[in-house]
Amino acid sequence: MGKTYGRVVLWVFSLALTILMVAGIAAYRVSTGDEQAIIPWGMMVVGYVFFAIMSGGVADSTIITAYIIKRSRSYPELRRNIYTALAVLVPGIVLVFSDILHPGRSYWFYLGFNIKSRIAWNALLYIIYAGFLAALLVVLIRRGEEGAEAPLTKGLAFATLVASVNLEMNLGMAFGSNIAVPTWYSVYSGMLFIACAFALGGAWLALTNRVRLEGIVSAEEWWREDRRIAAEIAITVLTVGFVVLWGLLGLYSWGLAEGFTMEVAKGDYAEYFWLGYVVLGFITPLALAILVLLKEGKGRILQLAGLLVIIGIAVLLAVPYNYGGQHYRLEVNQLYGQLALGLGDAQAYTLEEYLANPETLAFIGGFGLAILLDLIGPILLPLKPGDKPRRLWILK
Protein backbone atom coordinates (compact mmCIF):
# COMPACT_ATOMS: atom_id res chain seq x y z
CA MET A 1 0.00 0.00 0.00
CA GLY A 2 2.83 2.37 0.92
CA LYS A 3 4.64 1.79 -2.39
CA THR A 4 1.44 2.30 -4.39
CA TYR A 5 0.65 5.53 -2.55
CA GLY A 6 4.21 6.78 -3.04
CA ARG A 7 4.06 5.96 -6.75
CA VAL A 8 0.78 7.88 -7.15
CA VAL A 9 2.26 10.89 -5.36
CA LEU A 10 5.30 10.77 -7.66
CA TRP A 11 3.07 10.66 -10.76
CA VAL A 12 1.03 13.64 -9.54
CA PHE A 13 4.16 15.55 -8.57
CA SER A 14 5.87 14.98 -11.93
CA LEU A 15 2.70 15.93 -13.84
CA ALA A 16 2.34 19.13 -11.83
CA LEU A 17 5.95 20.11 -12.49
CA THR A 18 5.56 19.31 -16.20
CA ILE A 19 2.55 21.61 -16.37
CA LEU A 20 4.65 24.25 -14.62
CA MET A 21 7.30 23.83 -17.30
CA VAL A 22 4.74 24.28 -20.09
CA ALA A 23 3.34 27.38 -18.37
CA GLY A 24 6.81 28.83 -17.90
CA ILE A 25 7.74 28.26 -21.53
CA ALA A 26 4.43 29.73 -22.75
CA ALA A 27 4.85 32.83 -20.58
CA TYR A 28 8.44 33.24 -21.74
CA ARG A 29 7.54 32.92 -25.42
CA VAL A 30 4.82 35.58 -25.26
CA SER A 31 6.91 37.98 -23.19
CA THR A 32 8.58 40.96 -24.84
CA GLY A 33 12.17 39.93 -24.26
CA ASP A 34 15.03 42.14 -25.42
CA GLU A 35 17.63 40.43 -27.60
CA GLN A 36 20.15 43.05 -26.47
CA ALA A 37 19.37 42.66 -22.78
CA ILE A 38 22.07 43.36 -20.22
CA ILE A 39 21.77 39.75 -19.04
CA PRO A 40 21.04 37.97 -22.35
CA TRP A 41 21.70 34.44 -21.08
CA GLY A 42 18.90 33.78 -18.60
CA MET A 43 17.69 30.80 -16.61
CA MET A 44 16.50 29.05 -19.77
CA VAL A 45 20.14 28.71 -20.82
CA VAL A 46 21.08 27.42 -17.37
CA GLY A 47 18.22 24.93 -17.64
CA TYR A 48 19.12 23.32 -20.93
CA VAL A 49 22.80 23.20 -20.02
CA PHE A 50 21.95 21.67 -16.65
CA PHE A 51 19.79 18.85 -18.04
CA ALA A 52 22.30 18.10 -20.79
CA ILE A 53 25.24 17.70 -18.42
CA MET A 54 23.14 15.77 -15.88
CA SER A 55 22.06 13.38 -18.64
CA GLY A 56 25.71 13.01 -19.65
CA GLY A 57 26.66 12.35 -16.06
CA VAL A 58 24.10 9.53 -15.75
CA ALA A 59 25.38 7.95 -18.97
CA ASP A 60 29.03 8.46 -17.96
CA SER A 61 28.49 6.86 -14.56
CA THR A 62 26.63 3.88 -16.00
CA ILE A 63 29.09 3.18 -18.81
CA ILE A 64 32.21 3.66 -16.68
CA THR A 65 30.82 1.39 -13.95
CA ALA A 66 29.92 -1.38 -16.40
CA TYR A 67 32.79 -1.27 -18.88
CA ILE A 68 35.77 0.39 -17.20
CA ILE A 69 35.38 -0.54 -13.53
CA LYS A 70 33.85 -3.79 -14.90
CA ARG A 71 31.25 -4.27 -12.22
CA SER A 72 29.47 -7.15 -13.97
CA ARG A 73 26.36 -7.01 -11.80
CA SER A 74 25.72 -3.54 -13.22
CA TYR A 75 24.71 -5.09 -16.56
CA PRO A 76 21.08 -5.61 -15.47
CA GLU A 77 20.95 -1.88 -14.72
CA LEU A 78 22.31 -0.80 -18.10
CA ARG A 79 19.02 -0.63 -19.98
CA ARG A 80 17.27 1.20 -17.17
CA ASN A 81 20.03 3.74 -16.56
CA ILE A 82 20.64 4.51 -20.22
CA TYR A 83 16.92 5.14 -20.63
CA THR A 84 17.10 7.46 -17.59
CA ALA A 85 19.92 9.41 -19.26
CA LEU A 86 17.74 9.82 -22.34
CA ALA A 87 14.74 10.88 -20.24
CA VAL A 88 16.83 13.55 -18.48
CA LEU A 89 18.11 14.88 -21.81
CA VAL A 90 14.60 15.55 -23.18
CA PRO A 91 13.83 18.58 -20.93
CA GLY A 92 17.16 20.07 -22.00
CA ILE A 93 16.26 19.72 -25.69
CA VAL A 94 12.79 21.19 -25.04
CA LEU A 95 14.37 24.20 -23.31
CA VAL A 96 16.86 24.66 -26.16
CA PHE A 97 14.09 25.01 -28.74
CA SER A 98 12.02 27.13 -26.36
CA ASP A 99 14.87 29.59 -26.01
CA ILE A 100 15.56 29.96 -29.74
CA LEU A 101 13.97 33.13 -31.12
CA HIS A 102 12.82 31.34 -34.30
CA PRO A 103 12.69 27.58 -33.54
CA GLY A 104 11.39 26.82 -37.01
CA ARG A 105 14.63 28.07 -38.50
CA SER A 106 16.92 26.07 -36.24
CA TYR A 107 17.97 23.95 -39.23
CA TRP A 108 20.31 26.81 -40.19
CA PHE A 109 22.56 25.70 -37.34
CA TYR A 110 23.40 22.80 -39.63
CA LEU A 111 22.92 24.19 -43.15
CA GLY A 112 25.03 27.23 -42.35
CA PHE A 113 27.33 25.52 -39.88
CA ASN A 114 29.90 27.89 -38.35
CA ILE A 115 32.93 25.83 -37.37
CA LYS A 116 34.21 28.67 -35.15
CA SER A 117 31.03 28.84 -33.05
CA ARG A 118 30.83 26.84 -29.84
CA ILE A 119 27.05 27.23 -29.90
CA ALA A 120 26.90 25.75 -33.40
CA TRP A 121 28.99 22.83 -32.16
CA ASN A 122 26.56 22.40 -29.26
CA ALA A 123 23.71 22.00 -31.74
CA LEU A 124 25.68 19.24 -33.48
CA LEU A 125 26.95 17.54 -30.32
CA TYR A 126 23.46 17.38 -28.82
CA ILE A 127 22.36 15.31 -31.83
CA ILE A 128 25.49 13.12 -31.84
CA TYR A 129 25.19 12.36 -28.12
CA ALA A 130 21.42 11.76 -28.28
CA GLY A 131 21.89 9.53 -31.34
CA PHE A 132 24.50 7.29 -29.73
CA LEU A 133 22.47 7.19 -26.50
CA ALA A 134 19.31 6.12 -28.33
CA ALA A 135 21.20 3.57 -30.44
CA LEU A 136 22.80 2.07 -27.32
CA LEU A 137 19.38 1.84 -25.65
CA VAL A 138 17.85 0.05 -28.66
CA VAL A 139 20.71 -2.48 -28.79
CA LEU A 140 20.46 -3.12 -25.04
CA ILE A 141 16.70 -3.59 -25.27
CA ARG A 142 17.07 -6.05 -28.13
CA ARG A 143 19.96 -8.01 -26.67
CA GLY A 144 19.52 -7.48 -22.92
CA GLU A 145 22.29 -7.89 -20.38
CA GLU A 146 23.41 -11.04 -22.18
CA GLY A 147 24.59 -8.88 -25.07
CA ALA A 148 26.33 -6.29 -22.91
CA GLU A 149 29.76 -7.69 -23.82
CA ALA A 150 29.05 -7.84 -27.55
CA PRO A 151 31.44 -5.69 -29.65
CA LEU A 152 28.57 -3.57 -31.03
CA THR A 153 27.22 -2.83 -27.55
CA LYS A 154 30.62 -1.97 -26.14
CA GLY A 155 31.45 0.17 -29.16
CA LEU A 156 28.23 2.15 -28.82
CA ALA A 157 28.79 2.51 -25.08
CA PHE A 158 32.24 4.03 -25.50
CA ALA A 159 31.06 6.22 -28.40
CA THR A 160 28.28 7.51 -26.13
CA LEU A 161 30.81 8.21 -23.39
CA VAL A 162 33.08 10.17 -25.75
CA ALA A 163 30.13 12.12 -27.21
CA SER A 164 28.86 12.89 -23.71
CA VAL A 165 32.15 14.29 -22.42
CA ASN A 166 32.61 16.32 -25.60
CA LEU A 167 29.16 17.85 -25.19
CA GLU A 168 29.83 18.66 -21.54
CA MET A 169 33.15 20.29 -22.37
CA ASN A 170 31.76 22.25 -25.29
CA LEU A 171 28.78 23.49 -23.28
CA GLY A 172 31.27 24.89 -20.78
CA MET A 173 33.41 26.44 -23.50
CA ALA A 174 30.34 28.14 -25.01
CA PHE A 175 30.68 30.25 -21.88
CA GLY A 176 34.47 30.08 -21.66
CA SER A 177 35.07 31.43 -25.17
CA ASN A 178 33.25 34.70 -24.38
CA ILE A 179 36.15 37.15 -24.22
CA ALA A 180 33.72 39.96 -23.29
CA VAL A 181 32.87 38.17 -20.02
CA PRO A 182 36.11 38.04 -18.00
CA THR A 183 34.72 35.69 -15.35
CA TRP A 184 33.97 33.03 -17.97
CA TYR A 185 36.91 33.43 -20.33
CA SER A 186 39.06 30.41 -19.46
CA VAL A 187 39.32 26.66 -19.91
CA TYR A 188 38.06 26.49 -16.31
CA SER A 189 34.50 26.75 -17.65
CA GLY A 190 34.85 23.53 -19.63
CA MET A 191 36.43 21.66 -16.72
CA LEU A 192 33.73 22.95 -14.36
CA PHE A 193 30.96 21.58 -16.57
CA ILE A 194 32.59 18.16 -16.88
CA ALA A 195 33.04 17.95 -13.09
CA CYS A 196 29.45 19.09 -12.49
CA ALA A 197 28.19 16.52 -15.00
CA PHE A 198 29.76 13.62 -13.11
CA ALA A 199 28.45 14.94 -9.77
CA LEU A 200 24.95 15.51 -11.12
CA GLY A 201 24.89 12.06 -12.72
CA GLY A 202 25.65 10.36 -9.42
CA ALA A 203 23.20 12.64 -7.61
CA TRP A 204 20.33 11.85 -10.00
CA LEU A 205 21.03 8.12 -9.73
CA ALA A 206 20.99 8.44 -5.93
CA LEU A 207 17.77 10.43 -5.93
CA THR A 208 15.89 8.05 -8.24
CA ASN A 209 17.39 4.68 -7.34
CA ARG A 210 14.44 3.43 -5.26
CA VAL A 211 12.08 3.89 -8.22
CA ARG A 212 14.50 3.28 -11.06
CA LEU A 213 15.94 -0.03 -9.84
CA GLU A 214 12.77 -1.55 -8.39
CA GLY A 215 12.62 -5.13 -9.64
CA ILE A 216 16.21 -4.99 -10.94
CA VAL A 217 18.38 -4.94 -7.81
CA SER A 218 17.70 -7.67 -5.26
CA ALA A 219 17.12 -6.85 -1.60
CA GLU A 220 20.59 -8.05 -0.56
CA GLU A 221 22.23 -5.93 -3.28
CA TRP A 222 20.58 -2.63 -2.32
CA TRP A 223 23.17 -1.90 0.32
CA ARG A 224 26.06 -2.48 -2.12
CA GLU A 225 24.39 -0.25 -4.71
CA ASP A 226 23.81 2.51 -2.16
CA ARG A 227 27.44 2.41 -1.07
CA ARG A 228 28.67 2.49 -4.69
CA ILE A 229 26.61 5.59 -5.46
CA ALA A 230 27.61 7.16 -2.13
CA ALA A 231 31.28 6.71 -3.04
CA GLU A 232 30.60 8.23 -6.46
CA ILE A 233 28.88 11.25 -4.90
CA ALA A 234 31.70 11.77 -2.41
CA ILE A 235 34.41 11.65 -5.09
CA THR A 236 32.58 13.82 -7.62
CA VAL A 237 31.47 16.42 -5.06
CA LEU A 238 35.08 16.77 -3.92
CA THR A 239 36.15 17.13 -7.55
CA VAL A 240 33.63 19.91 -8.22
CA GLY A 241 34.75 21.67 -5.04
CA PHE A 242 38.38 21.51 -6.15
CA VAL A 243 37.56 22.85 -9.64
CA VAL A 244 35.46 25.69 -8.17
CA LEU A 245 38.21 26.66 -5.72
CA TRP A 246 40.95 26.43 -8.35
CA GLY A 247 38.84 28.40 -10.81
CA LEU A 248 38.20 31.21 -8.31
CA LEU A 249 41.91 31.37 -7.50
CA GLY A 250 42.62 31.66 -11.22
CA LEU A 251 40.07 34.48 -11.59
CA TYR A 252 41.55 36.26 -8.56
CA SER A 253 44.95 36.30 -10.24
CA TRP A 254 43.56 37.95 -13.38
CA GLY A 255 43.04 41.69 -13.10
CA LEU A 256 39.81 41.87 -15.11
CA ALA A 257 38.11 39.24 -12.94
CA GLU A 258 39.77 39.83 -9.58
CA GLY A 259 36.88 41.85 -8.19
CA PHE A 260 34.41 39.13 -9.07
CA THR A 261 36.00 36.74 -6.57
CA MET A 262 35.36 39.35 -3.86
CA GLU A 263 31.72 39.54 -4.93
CA VAL A 264 31.48 35.76 -4.59
CA ALA A 265 33.37 35.58 -1.30
CA LYS A 266 31.73 38.48 0.55
CA GLY A 267 29.65 40.52 -1.86
CA ASP A 268 26.33 40.26 -3.68
CA TYR A 269 26.66 36.55 -4.47
CA ALA A 270 28.17 35.41 -1.17
CA GLU A 271 24.99 33.97 0.35
CA TYR A 272 24.24 32.00 -2.81
CA PHE A 273 27.80 30.71 -2.96
CA TRP A 274 28.39 29.89 0.71
CA LEU A 275 24.92 28.75 1.71
CA GLY A 276 23.46 27.62 -1.63
CA TYR A 277 26.54 25.82 -2.92
CA VAL A 278 29.19 25.27 -0.21
CA VAL A 279 26.82 24.27 2.62
CA LEU A 280 23.96 22.67 0.68
CA GLY A 281 25.79 21.36 -2.36
CA PHE A 282 29.22 20.45 -0.96
CA ILE A 283 29.60 19.99 2.81
CA THR A 284 26.22 18.45 3.64
CA PRO A 285 25.97 15.88 0.78
CA LEU A 286 29.62 14.94 1.33
CA ALA A 287 28.89 14.26 5.01
CA LEU A 288 25.74 12.29 4.15
CA ALA A 289 27.60 10.20 1.56
CA ILE A 290 30.29 9.40 4.13
CA LEU A 291 27.57 8.30 6.57
CA VAL A 292 26.28 5.82 4.01
CA LEU A 293 29.81 4.56 3.33
CA LEU A 294 30.31 4.04 7.07
CA LYS A 295 27.04 2.07 7.17
CA GLU A 296 25.48 4.73 9.39
CA GLY A 297 22.96 5.95 6.80
CA LYS A 298 20.09 4.38 4.89
CA GLY A 299 18.75 4.84 1.37
CA ARG A 300 16.78 7.97 2.31
CA ILE A 301 20.00 9.62 3.48
CA LEU A 302 21.56 8.91 0.10
CA GLN A 303 18.54 10.34 -1.71
CA LEU A 304 18.81 13.51 0.38
CA ALA A 305 22.50 13.77 -0.52
CA GLY A 306 21.62 13.50 -4.22
CA LEU A 307 18.90 16.14 -3.93
CA LEU A 308 21.25 18.57 -2.18
CA VAL A 309 23.96 18.10 -4.82
CA ILE A 310 21.43 18.94 -7.54
CA ILE A 311 20.19 22.04 -5.68
CA GLY A 312 23.70 23.20 -4.82
CA ILE A 313 25.09 22.92 -8.35
CA ALA A 314 21.92 24.53 -9.78
CA VAL A 315 22.43 27.52 -7.46
CA LEU A 316 26.14 27.71 -8.31
CA LEU A 317 25.57 27.70 -12.07
CA ALA A 318 22.48 29.95 -11.99
CA VAL A 319 23.65 32.77 -9.73
CA PRO A 320 27.41 33.24 -9.17
CA TYR A 321 28.37 31.72 -12.50
CA ASN A 322 25.69 32.70 -15.04
CA TYR A 323 24.14 35.86 -13.61
CA GLY A 324 27.22 37.01 -11.71
CA GLY A 325 29.50 36.54 -14.70
CA GLN A 326 27.28 38.59 -17.00
CA HIS A 327 26.49 41.29 -14.46
CA TYR A 328 30.11 41.79 -13.46
CA ARG A 329 31.16 42.59 -17.03
CA LEU A 330 29.25 45.87 -16.66
CA GLU A 331 31.86 46.98 -14.13
CA VAL A 332 34.89 46.17 -16.29
CA ASN A 333 33.64 46.82 -19.84
CA GLN A 334 32.78 50.45 -20.65
CA LEU A 335 30.65 49.53 -23.67
CA TYR A 336 28.38 47.30 -21.60
CA GLY A 337 28.30 49.97 -18.91
CA GLN A 338 27.07 52.53 -21.43
CA LEU A 339 24.46 50.04 -22.65
CA ALA A 340 23.18 49.60 -19.10
CA LEU A 341 22.98 53.37 -18.57
CA GLY A 342 21.15 53.82 -21.85
CA LEU A 343 18.33 51.44 -20.99
CA GLY A 344 15.37 52.95 -19.25
CA ASP A 345 14.34 49.65 -17.68
CA ALA A 346 17.79 48.70 -16.43
CA GLN A 347 16.34 47.89 -13.02
CA ALA A 348 14.55 44.93 -14.61
CA TYR A 349 17.88 43.14 -14.75
CA THR A 350 18.43 42.81 -11.03
CA LEU A 351 19.14 39.40 -9.53
CA GLU A 352 15.60 39.25 -8.17
CA GLU A 353 14.12 39.84 -11.63
CA TYR A 354 16.50 37.30 -13.10
CA LEU A 355 15.28 34.61 -10.69
CA ALA A 356 11.58 35.54 -10.52
CA ASN A 357 10.65 35.03 -14.16
CA PRO A 358 9.02 32.41 -16.41
CA GLU A 359 12.40 30.99 -17.39
CA THR A 360 12.94 29.83 -13.82
CA LEU A 361 9.54 28.10 -13.83
CA ALA A 362 10.46 26.34 -17.06
CA PHE A 363 13.78 25.18 -15.57
CA ILE A 364 12.23 23.85 -12.36
CA GLY A 365 9.37 22.24 -14.28
CA GLY A 366 11.89 20.38 -16.42
CA PHE A 367 12.59 18.05 -13.49
CA GLY A 368 8.95 16.99 -13.64
CA LEU A 369 9.23 16.09 -17.33
CA ALA A 370 12.38 14.07 -16.65
CA ILE A 371 10.68 12.13 -13.83
CA LEU A 372 7.49 11.67 -15.86
CA LEU A 373 9.39 10.19 -18.80
CA ASP A 374 11.35 7.97 -16.42
CA LEU A 375 8.08 6.62 -15.00
CA ILE A 376 6.56 6.06 -18.44
CA GLY A 377 9.61 4.21 -19.79
CA PRO A 378 9.14 0.83 -18.06
CA ILE A 379 5.47 0.83 -19.10
CA LEU A 380 6.26 1.20 -22.79
CA LEU A 381 9.65 -0.47 -23.08
CA PRO A 382 11.23 -3.70 -21.77
CA LEU A 383 13.83 -2.15 -19.47
CA LYS A 384 14.12 -4.79 -16.77
CA PRO A 385 15.92 -8.16 -16.83
CA GLY A 386 13.64 -10.81 -18.25
CA ASP A 387 11.41 -8.33 -20.06
CA LYS A 388 10.78 -9.33 -23.67
CA PRO A 389 10.82 -6.77 -26.49
CA ARG A 390 7.35 -5.62 -27.42
CA ARG A 391 6.07 -4.96 -30.90
CA LEU A 392 7.28 -1.39 -31.19
CA TRP A 393 8.52 -0.23 -34.57
CA ILE A 394 11.88 0.82 -33.14
CA LEU A 395 12.44 -2.72 -31.86
CA LYS A 396 11.40 -4.69 -34.93
Side-chain angles (χ1 to χ4, degrees):
M1 182 66 180
K3 282 186 178 181
T4 302
Y5 176 76
R7 180 75 62 153
V8 170
V9 170
L10 191 58
W11 274 96
V12 173
F13 176 71
S14 61
L15 279 169
L17 280 182
T18 303
I19 293 171
L20 184 70
M21 180 187 191
V22 173
I25 291 172
Y28 171 70
R29 295 298 300 182
V30 301
S31 65
T32 54
D34 183 4
E35 289 185 66
Q36 302 302 320
I38 296 175
I39 308 295
W41 288 16
M43 286 290 285
M44 196 77 81
V45 174
V46 177
Y48 66 69
V49 166
F50 190 92
F51 286 112
I53 64 175
M54 187 159 71
S55 168
V58 171
D60 297 343
S61 172
T62 301
I63 293 167
I64 289 172
T65 301
Y67 291 106
I68 297 179
I69 299 177
K70 294 187 179 298
R71 180 176 169 269
S72 61
R73 63 176 177 272
S74 68
Y75 288 158
E77 303 169 21
L78 269 172
R79 277 184 284 179
R80 191 65 180 88
N81 288 358
I82 293 300
Y83 175 81
T84 294
L86 195 58
V88 172
L89 182 64
V90 172
I93 294 175
V94 171
L95 291 177
V96 166
F97 282 96
S98 300
D99 192 47
I100 297 173
L101 186 61
H102 300 290
R105 300 177 185 174
S106 57
Y107 55 85
W108 282 108
F109 273 117
Y110 310 101
L111 294 181
F113 188 76
N114 181 2
I115 196 171
K116 296 180 180 179
S117 171
R118 291 289 181 173
I119 294 177
W121 276 106
N122 279 338
L124 182 61
L125 288 171
Y126 261 102
I127 289 181
I128 293 174
Y129 167 59
F132 278 125
L133 194 64
L136 176 60
L137 177 62
V138 170
V139 170
L140 287 170
I141 286 175
R142 296 209 53 156
R143 298 188 177 187
E145 54 270 21
E146 296 82 6
E149 282 291 338
L152 175 61
T153 311
K154 293 174 73 173
L156 283 172
F158 283 109
T160 302
L161 179 62
V162 171
S164 169
V165 174
N166 270 280
L167 176 60
E168 293 153 16
M169 181 69 178
N170 197 72
L171 282 166
M173 290 312 296
F175 290 82
S177 59
N178 276 277
I179 193 171
V181 185
T183 58
W184 292 348
Y185 189 59
S186 69
V187 73
Y188 149 74
S189 292
M191 299 305 298
L192 174 66
F193 277 49
I194 292 177
C196 286
F198 277 88
L200 289 171
W204 189 256
L205 292 176
L207 184 62
T208 62
N209 63 356
R210 283 302 186 270
V211 173
R212 181 174 41 81
L213 298 182
E214 184 181 350
I216 296 178
V217 176
S218 63
E220 58 270 17
E221 287 181 332
W222 270 117
W223 182 243
R224 287 198 199 95
E225 182 64 18
D226 283 350
R227 292 190 71 196
R228 183 193 72 78
I229 297 179
E232 183 175 332
I233 287 179
I235 293 169
T236 56
V237 163
L238 283 170
T239 302
V240 173
F242 173 79
V243 173
V244 169
L245 173 62
W246 198 249
L248 287 174
L249 287 174
L251 293 176
Y252 183 69
S253 67
W254 184 29
L256 287 176
E258 179 181 353
F260 174 75
T261 59
M262 294 297 100
E263 292 292 328
V264 171
K266 55 183 181 181
D268 293 339
Y269 318 119
E271 59 184 307
Y272 294 93
F273 178 73
W274 293 109
L275 180 60
Y277 167 65
V278 175
V279 174
L280 289 182
F282 179 75
I283 295 175
T284 306
L286 181 60
L288 294 176
I290 291 174
L291 279 178
V292 175
L293 287 171
L294 295 176
K295 300 184 180 180
E296 298 294 333
K298 302 296 183 182
R300 298 297 181 189
I301 297 296
L302 185 62
Q303 288 181 314
L304 178 59
L307 177 63
L308 292 177
V309 170
I310 291 169
I311 293 173
I313 292 179
V315 171
L316 174 70
L317 295 181
V319 181
Y321 186 79
N322 189 59
Y323 177 84
Q326 293 178 86
H327 191 266
Y328 182 73
R329 67 182 175 169
L330 301 176
E331 301 178 27
V332 297
N333 189 306
Q334 292 183 352
L335 292 177
Y336 283 113
Q338 291 173 8
L339 172 65
L341 292 174
L343 292 177
D345 61 344
Q347 290 302 313
Y349 296 95
T350 63
L351 179 56
E352 290 73 20
E353 291 290 336
Y354 165 80
L355 293 173
N357 64 67
E359 293 185 65
T360 303
L361 295 181
F363 177 22
I364 295 173
F367 289 95
L369 180 58
I371 296 170
L372 184 63
L373 292 172
D374 214 23
L375 291 172
I376 292 173
I379 298 174
L380 300 178
L381 298 169
L383 298 177
K384 296 180 180 179
D387 285 351
K388 295 182 179 179
R390 298 176 187 143
R391 291 185 175 277
L392 298 176
W393 67 271
I394 198 170
L395 300 176
K396 289 181 180 179

